[in-house]
Amino acid sequence: MRIELGFGLDIIGDIHACFEEFMTLLDKLGYQKNREGLYIHPEGRKILSLGDVMSRGPQSIECMLFFLRHVEAGQAYMIDSNHGWKIARWLEGRKVQLKHGDENVQKEFKNYELKHGKKETLNLKARLKTLLMDAPSHYIVSNEGEDLVVCAHAGIKDEYIGNENSRIKDFCRYGDVAGMDEKGKPIRRDWFKEHKGDLLILWGHDPKPEPLLINNTLNIDQGVVFGGKLTCFRFPEREFVFVEALENYSGKTGADNPIGK
Ligand SMILES: [Mn+2]
């Protein structure tokens, strides 16, 4: 789970199947499509996704396929996430309830099968399942032996950093959830208040209208699928690059919309 900073990282918040906005972002960041169809940065930068690349939005398969190809090519990293884990188990053939936008992935696969046939669909599903199952709970970005940044989907406790077990995986997927309220929404505890030290923790999952920096923890999920924007945090430059959502794909408005759109 420890990766080298190398020539720089472009760390990207929850994409949630907003493939068009993601392509616009890569273009803004200076990535160029090569002959094999891979997006390569001329300065050798790499892409790191905070997870939830699929579900809710319109193009889950395209987004997952992008990370499948770029992770295999060593050009991108992608961490585990709550939707990613749900879809992984569905792809494995387990009985899971597809809701909160996961049902869109199933619909996309039905259309994919009509277009590409059963064999190719099964093959893709198996490869995507492996990608999602193999995704680590978090990454530690280091440079010349010094740890600089931790990337986790929904959050992490300081004592979990550098370790991996089922409890840590769950915490990184869902954050510190104290149960559900009467409306079925998770009651979230603010894990980031406990973080100490200089290590910067990047996280997404819980959309905020703007990047939120507290205690050296930085939320970069600005709710693109809810009509907000897709965020990239460039490291080590510590610069933000945003792409505004083309629309609110979520069907959620007003009080039901986490960023109030
Ligand atoms: Mn999430």
Side-chain angles (χ1 to χ4, degrees), residues 88-118:
R89 284 177 297 149
W90 177 72
L91 290 171
E92 201 179 38
R94 292 194 193 221
K95 281 204 174 111
V96 290
Q97 228 191 339
L98 296 181
K99 50 185 183 178
H100 305 303
D102 293 329
E103 66 279 12
N104 297 356
V105 181
Q106 187 177 31
K107 276 185 214 150
E108 272 192 52
F109 269 108
K110 279 186 186 155
N111 289 329
Y112 188 92
E113 191 170 324
L114 289 173
K115 219 171 165 182
H116 300 276
K118 190 153 194 160

PDB file of all heavy atoms in Angstrom, residues 88-118:
ATOM      1  N   ALA A  88     -18.068  -5.181  -6.598  1.00  0.00           N
ATOM      2  CA  ALA A  88     -17.156  -6.339  -6.666  1.00  0.00           C
ATOM      3  C   ALA A  88     -17.886  -7.616  -6.275  1.00  0.00           C
ATOM      4  O   ALA A  88     -17.772  -8.651  -6.942  1.00  0.00           O
ATOM      5  CB  ALA A  88     -15.953  -6.111  -5.752  1.00  0.00           C
ATOM      6  N   ARG A  89     -18.660  -7.534  -5.192  1.00  0.00           N
ATOM      7  CA  ARG A  89     -19.380  -8.731  -4.729  1.00  0.00           C
ATOM      8  C   ARG A  89     -20.512  -9.094  -5.687  1.00  0.00           C
ATOM      9  O   ARG A  89     -20.808 -10.257  -5.911  1.00  0.00           O
ATOM     10  CB  ARG A  89     -19.903  -8.517  -3.308  1.00  0.00           C
ATOM     11  CG  ARG A  89     -18.771  -8.643  -2.282  1.00  0.00           C
ATOM     12  CD  ARG A  89     -19.251  -8.374  -0.887  1.00  0.00           C
ATOM     13  NE  ARG A  89     -19.719  -7.003  -0.801  1.00  0.00           N
ATOM     14  CZ  ARG A  89     -20.686  -6.601  -0.003  1.00  0.00           C
ATOM     15  NH1 ARG A  89     -21.276  -7.441   0.800  1.00  0.00           N
ATOM     16  NH2 ARG A  89     -21.063  -5.335   0.006  1.00  0.00           N
ATOM     17  N   TRP A  90     -21.129  -8.085  -6.288  1.00  0.00           N
ATOM     18  CA  TRP A  90     -22.160  -8.361  -7.296  1.00  0.00           C
ATOM     19  C   TRP A  90     -21.528  -9.037  -8.517  1.00  0.00           C
ATOM     20  O   TRP A  90     -22.069 -10.020  -9.042  1.00  0.00           O
ATOM     21  CB  TRP A  90     -22.852  -7.050  -7.704  1.00  0.00           C
ATOM     22  CG  TRP A  90     -23.857  -7.241  -8.784  1.00  0.00           C
ATOM     23  CD1 TRP A  90     -25.084  -7.853  -8.664  1.00  0.00           C
ATOM     24  CD2 TRP A  90     -23.720  -6.852 -10.158  1.00  0.00           C
ATOM     25  NE1 TRP A  90     -25.704  -7.860  -9.885  1.00  0.00           N
ATOM     26  CE2 TRP A  90     -24.898  -7.250 -10.814  1.00  0.00           C
ATOM     27  CE3 TRP A  90     -22.728  -6.197 -10.886  1.00  0.00           C
ATOM     28  CZ2 TRP A  90     -25.111  -7.023 -12.178  1.00  0.00           C
ATOM     29  CZ3 TRP A  90     -22.930  -5.965 -12.227  1.00  0.00           C
ATOM     30  CH2 TRP A  90     -24.106  -6.380 -12.868  1.00  0.00           C
ATOM     31  N   LEU A  91     -20.389  -8.538  -8.949  1.00  0.00           N
ATOM     32  CA  LEU A  91     -19.704  -9.129 -10.110  1.00  0.00           C
ATOM     33  C   LEU A  91     -19.266 -10.565  -9.824  1.00  0.00           C
ATOM     34  O   LEU A  91     -19.180 -11.390 -10.727  1.00  0.00           O
ATOM     35  CB  LEU A  91     -18.476  -8.283 -10.494  1.00  0.00           C
ATOM     36  CG  LEU A  91     -18.765  -6.902 -11.093  1.00  0.00           C
ATOM     37  CD1 LEU A  91     -17.477  -6.092 -11.204  1.00  0.00           C
ATOM     38  CD2 LEU A  91     -19.435  -7.015 -12.461  1.00  0.00           C
ATOM     39  N   GLU A  92     -19.030 -10.843  -8.564  1.00  0.00           N
ATOM     40  CA  GLU A  92     -18.621 -12.186  -8.162  1.00  0.00           C
ATOM     41  C   GLU A  92     -19.808 -13.154  -8.190  1.00  0.00           C
ATOM     42  O   GLU A  92     -19.632 -14.358  -8.091  1.00  0.00           O
ATOM     43  CB  GLU A  92     -18.055 -12.099  -6.735  1.00  0.00           C
ATOM     44  CG  GLU A  92     -17.152 -13.231  -6.352  1.00  0.00           C
ATOM     45  CD  GLU A  92     -16.623 -13.040  -4.932  1.00  0.00           C
ATOM     46  OE1 GLU A  92     -17.376 -12.570  -4.055  1.00  0.00           O
ATOM     47  OE2 GLU A  92     -15.453 -13.343  -4.714  1.00  0.00           O
ATOM     48  N   GLY A  93     -21.008 -12.582  -8.297  1.00  0.00           N
ATOM     49  CA  GLY A  93     -22.210 -13.414  -8.357  1.00  0.00           C
ATOM     50  C   GLY A  93     -22.920 -13.566  -7.028  1.00  0.00           C
ATOM     51  O   GLY A  93     -23.818 -14.379  -6.889  1.00  0.00           O
ATOM     52  N   ARG A  94     -22.515 -12.758  -6.044  1.00  0.00           N
ATOM     53  CA  ARG A  94     -23.184 -12.832  -4.744  1.00  0.00           C
ATOM     54  C   ARG A  94     -24.515 -12.106  -4.797  1.00  0.00           C
ATOM     55  O   ARG A  94     -24.704 -11.197  -5.589  1.00  0.00           O
ATOM     56  CB  ARG A  94     -22.325 -12.180  -3.661  1.00  0.00           C
ATOM     57  CG  ARG A  94     -21.071 -12.966  -3.405  1.00  0.00           C
ATOM     58  CD  ARG A  94     -20.458 -12.471  -2.135  1.00  0.00           C
ATOM     59  NE  ARG A  94     -19.111 -12.968  -1.985  1.00  0.00           N
ATOM     60  CZ  ARG A  94     -18.621 -13.392  -0.829  1.00  0.00           C
ATOM     61  NH1 ARG A  94     -19.365 -13.366   0.249  1.00  0.00           N
ATOM     62  NH2 ARG A  94     -17.382 -13.820  -0.754  1.00  0.00           N
ATOM     63  N   LYS A  95     -25.413 -12.509  -3.897  1.00  0.00           N
ATOM     64  CA  LYS A  95     -26.718 -11.842  -3.826  1.00  0.00           C
ATOM     65  C   LYS A  95     -26.565 -10.575  -2.993  1.00  0.00           C
ATOM     66  O   LYS A  95     -26.533 -10.631  -1.770  1.00  0.00           O
ATOM     67  CB  LYS A  95     -27.751 -12.782  -3.201  1.00  0.00           C
ATOM     68  CG  LYS A  95     -28.261 -13.804  -4.205  1.00  0.00           C
ATOM     69  CD  LYS A  95     -29.643 -14.337  -3.824  1.00  0.00           C
ATOM     70  CE  LYS A  95     -30.177 -15.242  -4.912  1.00  0.00           C
ATOM     71  NZ  LYS A  95     -30.263 -16.649  -4.523  1.00  0.00           N
ATOM     72  N   VAL A  96     -26.447  -9.450  -3.655  1.00  0.00           N
ATOM     73  CA  VAL A  96     -26.386  -8.174  -2.936  1.00  0.00           C
ATOM     74  C   VAL A  96     -27.519  -7.300  -3.453  1.00  0.00           C
ATOM     75  O   VAL A  96     -27.946  -7.433  -4.606  1.00  0.00           O
ATOM     76  CB  VAL A  96     -25.025  -7.450  -3.135  1.00  0.00           C
ATOM     77  CG1 VAL A  96     -23.906  -8.183  -2.430  1.00  0.00           C
ATOM     78  CG2 VAL A  96     -24.696  -7.269  -4.602  1.00  0.00           C
ATOM     79  N   GLN A  97     -28.023  -6.441  -2.587  1.00  0.00           N
ATOM     80  CA  GLN A  97     -29.087  -5.538  -2.978  1.00  0.00           C
ATOM     81  C   GLN A  97     -28.487  -4.326  -3.665  1.00  0.00           C
ATOM     82  O   GLN A  97     -27.718  -3.581  -3.045  1.00  0.00           O
ATOM     83  CB  GLN A  97     -29.850  -5.103  -1.730  1.00  0.00           C
ATOM     84  CG  GLN A  97     -31.342  -5.207  -1.893  1.00  0.00           C
ATOM     85  CD  GLN A  97     -32.077  -4.532  -0.757  1.00  0.00           C
ATOM     86  OE1 GLN A  97     -31.531  -4.320   0.329  1.00  0.00           O
ATOM     87  NE2 GLN A  97     -33.311  -4.178  -1.002  1.00  0.00           N
ATOM     88  N   LEU A  98     -28.819  -4.139  -4.939  1.00  0.00           N
ATOM     89  CA  LEU A  98     -28.257  -3.002  -5.666  1.00  0.00           C
ATOM     90  C   LEU A  98     -29.169  -1.792  -5.501  1.00  0.00           C
ATOM     91  O   LEU A  98     -30.291  -1.760  -6.006  1.00  0.00           O
ATOM     92  CB  LEU A  98     -28.079  -3.355  -7.143  1.00  0.00           C
ATOM     93  CG  LEU A  98     -27.076  -4.472  -7.436  1.00  0.00           C
ATOM     94  CD1 LEU A  98     -26.962  -4.722  -8.927  1.00  0.00           C
ATOM     95  CD2 LEU A  98     -25.690  -4.159  -6.859  1.00  0.00           C
ATOM     96  N   LYS A  99     -28.671  -0.795  -4.760  1.00  0.00           N
ATOM     97  CA  LYS A  99     -29.413   0.457  -4.563  1.00  0.00           C
ATOM     98  C   LYS A  99     -28.414   1.605  -4.446  1.00  0.00           C
ATOM     99  O   LYS A  99     -27.227   1.390  -4.636  1.00  0.00           O
ATOM    100  CB  LYS A  99     -30.330   0.365  -3.339  1.00  0.00           C
ATOM    101  CG  LYS A  99     -29.626  -0.131  -2.080  1.00  0.00           C
ATOM    102  CD  LYS A  99     -30.604  -0.323  -0.930  1.00  0.00           C
ATOM    103  CE  LYS A  99     -29.870  -0.742   0.311  1.00  0.00           C
ATOM    104  NZ  LYS A  99     -30.688  -0.912   1.486  1.00  0.00           N
ATOM    105  N   HIS A 100     -28.910   2.804  -4.158  1.00  0.00           N
ATOM    106  CA  HIS A 100     -28.048   3.999  -4.074  1.00  0.00           C
ATOM    107  C   HIS A 100     -27.219   4.176  -5.347  1.00  0.00           C
ATOM    108  O   HIS A 100     -26.047   4.535  -5.285  1.00  0.00           O
ATOM    109  CB  HIS A 100     -27.108   3.928  -2.860  1.00  0.00           C
ATOM    110  CG  HIS A 100     -27.820   3.709  -1.562  1.00  0.00           C
ATOM    111  ND1 HIS A 100     -28.803   4.556  -1.120  1.00  0.00           N
ATOM    112  CD2 HIS A 100     -27.702   2.731  -0.626  1.00  0.00           C
ATOM    113  CE1 HIS A 100     -29.269   4.115   0.045  1.00  0.00           C
ATOM    114  NE2 HIS A 100     -28.620   3.014   0.347  1.00  0.00           N
ATOM    115  N   GLY A 101     -27.843   3.898  -6.490  1.00  0.00           N
ATOM    116  CA  GLY A 101     -27.154   4.103  -7.770  1.00  0.00           C
ATOM    117  C   GLY A 101     -26.393   2.898  -8.278  1.00  0.00           C
ATOM    118  O   GLY A 101     -25.916   2.898  -9.413  1.00  0.00           O
ATOM    119  N   ASP A 102     -26.250   1.846  -7.461  1.00  0.00           N
ATOM    120  CA  ASP A 102     -25.574   0.631  -7.937  1.00  0.00           C
ATOM    121  C   ASP A 102     -26.414  -0.091  -8.987  1.00  0.00           C
ATOM    122  O   ASP A 102     -25.878  -0.818  -9.827  1.00  0.00           O
ATOM    123  CB  ASP A 102     -25.281  -0.315  -6.765  1.00  0.00           C
ATOM    124  CG  ASP A 102     -24.254   0.257  -5.806  1.00  0.00           C
ATOM    125  OD1 ASP A 102     -23.375   1.016  -6.267  1.00  0.00           O
ATOM    126  OD2 ASP A 102     -24.322  -0.048  -4.602  1.00  0.00           O
ATOM    127  N   GLU A 103     -27.746   0.109  -8.913  1.00  0.00           N
ATOM    128  CA  GLU A 103     -28.632  -0.525  -9.896  1.00  0.00           C
ATOM    129  C   GLU A 103     -28.337  -0.026 -11.321  1.00  0.00           C
ATOM    130  O   GLU A 103     -28.582  -0.734 -12.304  1.00  0.00           O
ATOM    131  CB  GLU A 103     -30.111  -0.311  -9.523  1.00  0.00           C
ATOM    132  CG  GLU A 103     -30.619   1.130  -9.567  1.00  0.00           C
ATOM    133  CD  GLU A 103     -30.266   1.949  -8.311  1.00  0.00           C
ATOM    134  OE1 GLU A 103     -29.440   1.505  -7.495  1.00  0.00           O
ATOM    135  OE2 GLU A 103     -30.814   3.072  -8.190  1.00  0.00           O
ATOM    136  N   ASN A 104     -27.780   1.187 -11.432  1.00  0.00           N
ATOM    137  CA  ASN A 104     -27.401   1.706 -12.765  1.00  0.00           C
ATOM    138  C   ASN A 104     -26.297   0.861 -13.407  1.00  0.00           C
ATOM    139  O   ASN A 104     -26.236   0.745 -14.628  1.00  0.00           O
ATOM    140  CB  ASN A 104     -26.884   3.147 -12.658  1.00  0.00           C
ATOM    141  CG  ASN A 104     -27.934   4.106 -12.152  1.00  0.00           C
ATOM    142  OD1 ASN A 104     -29.079   3.718 -11.936  1.00  0.00           O
ATOM    143  ND2 ASN A 104     -27.558   5.352 -11.951  1.00  0.00           N
ATOM    144  N   VAL A 105     -25.439   0.296 -12.582  1.00  0.00           N
ATOM    145  CA  VAL A 105     -24.337  -0.521 -13.101  1.00  0.00           C
ATOM    146  C   VAL A 105     -24.912  -1.791 -13.736  1.00  0.00           C
ATOM    147  O   VAL A 105     -24.495  -2.210 -14.818  1.00  0.00           O
ATOM    148  CB  VAL A 105     -23.329  -0.868 -11.975  1.00  0.00           C
ATOM    149  CG1 VAL A 105     -22.177  -1.699 -12.518  1.00  0.00           C
ATOM    150  CG2 VAL A 105     -22.808   0.398 -11.306  1.00  0.00           C
ATOM    151  N   GLN A 106     -25.882  -2.373 -13.059  1.00  0.00           N
ATOM    152  CA  GLN A 106     -26.546  -3.573 -13.586  1.00  0.00           C
ATOM    153  C   GLN A 106     -27.202  -3.273 -14.947  1.00  0.00           C
ATOM    154  O   GLN A 106     -27.065  -4.051 -15.889  1.00  0.00           O
ATOM    155  CB  GLN A 106     -27.597  -4.032 -12.575  1.00  0.00           C
ATOM    156  CG  GLN A 106     -28.229  -5.368 -12.923  1.00  0.00           C
ATOM    157  CD  GLN A 106     -29.202  -5.819 -11.846  1.00  0.00           C
ATOM    158  OE1 GLN A 106     -29.844  -4.992 -11.181  1.00  0.00           O
ATOM    159  NE2 GLN A 106     -29.294  -7.117 -11.639  1.00  0.00           N
ATOM    160  N   LYS A 107     -27.888  -2.137 -15.015  1.00  0.00           N
ATOM    161  CA  LYS A 107     -28.535  -1.729 -16.286  1.00  0.00           C
ATOM    162  C   LYS A 107     -27.504  -1.583 -17.391  1.00  0.00           C
ATOM    163  O   LYS A 107     -27.721  -2.017 -18.527  1.00  0.00           O
ATOM    164  CB  LYS A 107     -29.274  -0.391 -16.106  1.00  0.00           C
ATOM    165  CG  LYS A 107     -30.658  -0.533 -15.534  1.00  0.00           C
ATOM    166  CD  LYS A 107     -31.342   0.835 -15.516  1.00  0.00           C
ATOM    167  CE  LYS A 107     -32.247   0.938 -14.295  1.00  0.00           C
ATOM    168  NZ  LYS A 107     -32.384   2.297 -13.784  1.00  0.00           N
ATOM    169  N   GLU A 108     -26.392  -0.950 -17.065  1.00  0.00           N
ATOM    170  CA  GLU A 108     -25.332  -0.765 -18.065  1.00  0.00           C
ATOM    171  C   GLU A 108     -24.802  -2.105 -18.566  1.00  0.00           C
ATOM    172  O   GLU A 108     -24.539  -2.262 -19.757  1.00  0.00           O
ATOM    173  CB  GLU A 108     -24.171   0.048 -17.469  1.00  0.00           C
ATOM    174  CG  GLU A 108     -24.343   1.540 -17.606  1.00  0.00           C
ATOM    175  CD  GLU A 108     -23.040   2.269 -17.264  1.00  0.00           C
ATOM    176  OE1 GLU A 108     -22.001   1.925 -17.829  1.00  0.00           O
ATOM    177  OE2 GLU A 108     -23.092   3.172 -16.403  1.00  0.00           O
ATOM    178  N   PHE A 109     -24.642  -3.046 -17.657  1.00  0.00           N
ATOM    179  CA  PHE A 109     -24.135  -4.364 -18.074  1.00  0.00           C
ATOM    180  C   PHE A 109     -25.136  -5.102 -18.961  1.00  0.00           C
ATOM    181  O   PHE A 109     -24.735  -5.847 -19.857  1.00  0.00           O
ATOM    182  CB  PHE A 109     -23.735  -5.204 -16.856  1.00  0.00           C
ATOM    183  CG  PHE A 109     -22.289  -5.015 -16.490  1.00  0.00           C
ATOM    184  CD1 PHE A 109     -21.929  -4.312 -15.357  1.00  0.00           C
ATOM    185  CD2 PHE A 109     -21.274  -5.528 -17.300  1.00  0.00           C
ATOM    186  CE1 PHE A 109     -20.592  -4.118 -15.031  1.00  0.00           C
ATOM    187  CE2 PHE A 109     -19.938  -5.341 -16.985  1.00  0.00           C
ATOM    188  CZ  PHE A 109     -19.592  -4.633 -15.843  1.00  0.00           C
ATOM    189  N   LYS A 110     -26.431  -4.900 -18.732  1.00  0.00           N
ATOM    190  CA  LYS A 110     -27.448  -5.519 -19.609  1.00  0.00           C
ATOM    191  C   LYS A 110     -27.287  -4.996 -21.030  1.00  0.00           C
ATOM    192  O   LYS A 110     -27.320  -5.764 -22.000  1.00  0.00           O
ATOM    193  CB  LYS A 110     -28.855  -5.234 -19.073  1.00  0.00           C
ATOM    194  CG  LYS A 110     -29.232  -6.186 -17.948  1.00  0.00           C
ATOM    195  CD  LYS A 110     -30.671  -6.001 -17.515  1.00  0.00           C
ATOM    196  CE  LYS A 110     -30.944  -6.882 -16.296  1.00  0.00           C
ATOM    197  NZ  LYS A 110     -32.036  -6.357 -15.476  1.00  0.00           N
ATOM    198  N   ASN A 111     -27.126  -3.686 -21.150  1.00  0.00           N
ATOM    199  CA  ASN A 111     -26.931  -3.081 -22.480  1.00  0.00           C
ATOM    200  C   ASN A 111     -25.598  -3.512 -23.091  1.00  0.00           C
ATOM    201  O   ASN A 111     -25.512  -3.742 -24.295  1.00  0.00           O
ATOM    202  CB  ASN A 111     -26.976  -1.550 -22.388  1.00  0.00           C
ATOM    203  CG  ASN A 111     -28.381  -1.060 -22.118  1.00  0.00           C
ATOM    204  OD1 ASN A 111     -29.357  -1.685 -22.529  1.00  0.00           O
ATOM    205  ND2 ASN A 111     -28.496   0.048 -21.406  1.00  0.00           N
ATOM    206  N   TYR A 112     -24.579  -3.615 -22.252  1.00  0.00           N
ATOM    207  CA  TYR A 112     -23.252  -4.035 -22.723  1.00  0.00           C
ATOM    208  C   TYR A 112     -23.334  -5.436 -23.321  1.00  0.00           C
ATOM    209  O   TYR A 112     -22.761  -5.698 -24.389  1.00  0.00           O
ATOM    210  CB  TYR A 112     -22.263  -4.014 -21.552  1.00  0.00           C
ATOM    211  CG  TYR A 112     -20.822  -4.247 -21.967  1.00  0.00           C
ATOM    212  CD1 TYR A 112     -19.980  -3.184 -22.271  1.00  0.00           C
ATOM    213  CD2 TYR A 112     -20.305  -5.544 -22.058  1.00  0.00           C
ATOM    214  CE1 TYR A 112     -18.668  -3.391 -22.657  1.00  0.00           C
ATOM    215  CE2 TYR A 112     -18.992  -5.762 -22.446  1.00  0.00           C
ATOM    216  CZ  TYR A 112     -18.178  -4.678 -22.744  1.00  0.00           C
ATOM    217  OH  TYR A 112     -16.878  -4.900 -23.129  1.00  0.00           O
ATOM    218  N   GLU A 113     -24.087  -6.301 -22.664  1.00  0.00           N
ATOM    219  CA  GLU A 113     -24.215  -7.683 -23.148  1.00  0.00           C
ATOM    220  C   GLU A 113     -24.963  -7.747 -24.481  1.00  0.00           C
ATOM    221  O   GLU A 113     -24.594  -8.530 -25.362  1.00  0.00           O
ATOM    222  CB  GLU A 113     -24.905  -8.535 -22.081  1.00  0.00           C
ATOM    223  CG  GLU A 113     -24.824 -10.014 -22.401  1.00  0.00           C
ATOM    224  CD  GLU A 113     -25.282 -10.908 -21.256  1.00  0.00           C
ATOM    225  OE1 GLU A 113     -25.033 -10.568 -20.083  1.00  0.00           O
ATOM    226  OE2 GLU A 113     -25.882 -11.947 -21.548  1.00  0.00           O
ATOM    227  N   LEU A 114     -25.991  -6.900 -24.627  1.00  0.00           N
ATOM    228  CA  LEU A 114     -26.723  -6.859 -25.902  1.00  0.00           C
ATOM    229  C   LEU A 114     -25.789  -6.464 -27.043  1.00  0.00           C
ATOM    230  O   LEU A 114     -25.896  -6.953 -28.164  1.00  0.00           O
ATOM    231  CB  LEU A 114     -27.888  -5.858 -25.829  1.00  0.00           C
ATOM    232  CG  LEU A 114     -29.068  -6.261 -24.947  1.00  0.00           C
ATOM    233  CD1 LEU A 114     -30.066  -5.108 -24.840  1.00  0.00           C
ATOM    234  CD2 LEU A 114     -29.758  -7.511 -25.489  1.00  0.00           C
ATOM    235  N   LYS A 115     -24.871  -5.575 -26.737  1.00  0.00           N
ATOM    236  CA  LYS A 115     -23.961  -5.034 -27.752  1.00  0.00           C
ATOM    237  C   LYS A 115     -22.763  -5.951 -28.018  1.00  0.00           C
ATOM    238  O   LYS A 115     -22.350  -6.129 -29.161  1.00  0.00           O
ATOM    239  CB  LYS A 115     -23.449  -3.672 -27.251  1.00  0.00           C
ATOM    240  CG  LYS A 115     -23.333  -2.607 -28.313  1.00  0.00           C
ATOM    241  CD  LYS A 115     -23.028  -1.282 -27.621  1.00  0.00           C
ATOM    242  CE  LYS A 115     -22.536  -0.235 -28.592  1.00  0.00           C
ATOM    243  NZ  LYS A 115     -22.206   1.006 -27.859  1.00  0.00           N
ATOM    244  N   HIS A 116     -22.217  -6.533 -26.953  1.00  0.00           N
ATOM    245  CA  HIS A 116     -20.937  -7.252 -27.070  1.00  0.00           C
ATOM    246  C   HIS A 116     -21.040  -8.763 -26.880  1.00  0.00           C
ATOM    247  O   HIS A 116     -20.046  -9.468 -27.059  1.00  0.00           O
ATOM    248  CB  HIS A 116     -19.929  -6.694 -26.059  1.00  0.00           C
ATOM    249  CG  HIS A 116     -19.636  -5.236 -26.242  1.00  0.00           C
ATOM    250  ND1 HIS A 116     -18.695  -4.770 -27.135  1.00  0.00           N
ATOM    251  CD2 HIS A 116     -20.175  -4.138 -25.667  1.00  0.00           C
ATOM    252  CE1 HIS A 116     -18.665  -3.443 -27.074  1.00  0.00           C
ATOM    253  NE2 HIS A 116     -19.552  -3.035 -26.200  1.00  0.00           N
ATOM    254  N   GLY A 117     -22.212  -9.240 -26.488  1.00  0.00           N
ATOM    255  CA  GLY A 117     -22.386 -10.684 -26.307  1.00  0.00           C
ATOM    256  C   GLY A 117     -22.020 -11.146 -24.911  1.00  0.00           C
ATOM    257  O   GLY A 117     -21.383 -10.423 -24.135  1.00  0.00           O
ATOM    258  N   LYS A 118     -22.446 -12.374 -24.622  1.00  0.00           N
ATOM    259  CA  LYS A 118     -22.324 -12.918 -23.264  1.00  0.00           C
ATOM    260  C   LYS A 118     -20.863 -13.180 -22.883  1.00  0.00           C
ATOM    261  O   LYS A 118     -20.437 -12.871 -21.772  1.00  0.00           O
ATOM    262  CB  LYS A 118     -23.137 -14.209 -23.160  1.00  0.00           C
ATOM    263  CG  LYS A 118     -23.254 -14.705 -21.744  1.00  0.00           C
ATOM    264  CD  LYS A 118     -24.501 -15.529 -21.512  1.00  0.00           C
ATOM    265  CE  LYS A 118     -24.717 -15.692 -20.012  1.00  0.00           C
ATOM    266  NZ  LYS A 118     -26.052 -16.049 -19.648  1.00  0.00           N
TER     267      LYS A 118
END
